[in-house]
Amino acid sequence: RRCIDINECTTLSSDETCGPHVCRNYAGSFYCLCMLGYTYGQNIQTCIDLNECLTNNGKCEHICTNNDGSYECSCNPGYEIGNDGKSCDDLNECLTNNGECEHICTNNDGSYECSCNPGYEIGNDGKSCEDVNECTLENGGCDHNCTNFAGSYNCSCKEG
């Protein structure tokens, strides 16, 4: 008596064989050709997601997020993804609306800092600037009268 091979790839449903992957028949069984982003499971008849992030962080500079059959790189706050999709470049927050700083915005690696012009100090929100009343500190160094105004002060002498 002669045995005839059953082609599982054509007689079984895709759920019973390789799913969306390529099914290849051979005498007595079948095997799967896993698509990119997948690897063999318990045997050559199953394909499972390959977690690319487990090897060298998926070559992502900051954050690697595994997806079904793929992965994605992203960056920490203060950075944006580079042209290669893996590296992270400093985001210059000062280029957009002066970083919301009232006076001076200084870009740092991964961050930025607001500061104020002379005669002002940074507000509680870290972005606004408030006038310093120099006259309240030792009369602004004036011998007689000290007059405060926005961003500065003026000394004047008493009459006589």
Side-chain angles (χ1 to χ4, degrees), residues 121 131-142 145-149 152-154:
E121 61 187 6
D131 177 54
V132 173
N133 186 345
E134 296 86 355
C135 296
T136 60
L137 302 170
E138 297 181 17
N139 201 35
C142 300
N145 299 325
C146 181
T147 306
N148 186 67
F149 55 93
S152 191
Y153 67 100
N154 190 29

Side-chain angles (χ1 to χ4, degrees), residues 71-160:
Y71 70 101
E72 185 176 7
C73 297
S74 57
C75 301
N76 296 327
Y79 295 87
E80 58 189 352
I81 199 74
N83 291 335
D84 62 1
K86 296 180 184 305
S87 63
C88 294
D89 300 326
D90 176 55
L91 177 64
N92 188 343
E93 297 88 350
C94 297
L95 295 178
T96 305
N97 196 28
N98 198 40
E100 299 181 7
C101 299
E102 186 174 347
H103 287 180
I104 302 164
C105 183
T106 304
N107 187 59
N108 300 318
D109 192 28
S111 185
Y112 69 102
E113 185 177 11
C114 297
S115 58
C116 301
N117 294 328
Y120 293 87
E121 61 187 6
I122 199 77
N124 289 336
D125 62 2
K127 297 181 180 200
S128 64
C129 293
E130 299 170 359
D131 177 54
V132 173
N133 186 345
E134 296 86 355
C135 296
T136 60
L137 302 170
E138 297 181 17
N139 201 35
C142 300
D143 288 335
H144 293 172
N145 299 325
C146 181
T147 306
N148 186 67
F149 55 93
S152 191
Y153 67 100
N154 190 29
C155 294
S156 59
C157 297
K158 293 179 182 177
E159 286 187 29

